[in-house]
Amino acid sequence: MSIKPMNLSFYIVFIMSISVFFILAYFLSDNRIEENYAQVVITENQSIWELAIQFSSEHSLTPSEFVHWVEKNNSIDPDFVKAGTAITIPVKKELEDDSMFLLADGGTN
């Protein structure tokens, strides 16, 4: 009695199934920050640290944790953010409008 090796088509179907699973898991996960958190547009001479303090009543992070979150989730260096750059901050969106942007002065447009 001999054991037959699995054919190539089995491996292809197996790999494709795993790929589809991970793609679905990504799109169904709650990690898509753009949909859950507000965005701000950085103004001239403004820092992420200033935003952490400005929006401190709307999040529960320390300023250091806020800056680290922004750095990680926007893939930016918080010390070198240009004016006019739109970034996502850890402040939950409260409006149903998906295009909500917070201005640097704390208002909305």
Side-chain angles (χ1 to χ4, degrees), residues 51-99:
L51 290 174
I53 295 166
Q54 179 180 342
F55 291 101
S56 63
S57 65
E58 299 180 46
H59 63 83
S60 61
L61 303 174
T62 66
S64 179
E65 291 169 334
F66 183 99
V67 170
H68 178 71
W69 189 98
V70 169
E71 178 181 24
K72 177 182 172 193
N73 290 286
N74 291 279
S75 301
I76 60 169
D77 182 343
D79 297 324
F80 299 101
V81 180
K82 295 179 183 177
T85 302
I87 60 169
T88 304
I89 60 172
V91 172
K92 294 280 188 182
K93 281 186 182 179
E94 294 182 11
L95 302 177
E96 291 187 19
D97 181 12
D98 288 339
S99 62

Side-chain angles (χ1 to χ4, degrees), residues 11-93:
Y11 289 112
I12 291 172
V13 170
F14 180 73
I15 291 172
M16 289 179 67
S17 299
I18 290 175
S19 299
V20 168
F21 171 77
F22 283 111
I23 290 169
L24 285 174
Y26 170 76
F27 283 110
L28 297 176
S29 72
D30 197 35
N31 294 334
R32 296 169 62 194
I33 63 169
E34 299 85 15
E35 295 176 0
N36 299 319
Y37 294 100
Q39 290 189 324
V40 296
V41 177
I42 301 296
T43 60
E44 192 69 35
N45 298 321
Q46 186 175 42
S47 72
I48 306 299
W49 291 93
E50 291 171 13
L51 290 174
I53 295 166
Q54 179 180 342
F55 291 101
S56 63
S57 65
E58 299 180 46
H59 63 83
S60 61
L61 303 174
T62 66
S64 179
E65 291 169 334
F66 183 99
V67 170
H68 178 71
W69 189 98
V70 169
E71 178 181 24
K72 177 182 172 193
N73 290 286
N74 291 279
S75 301
I76 60 169
D77 182 343
D79 297 324
F80 299 101
V81 180
K82 295 179 183 177
T85 302
I87 60 169
T88 304
I89 60 172
V91 172
K92 294 280 188 182
K93 281 186 182 179

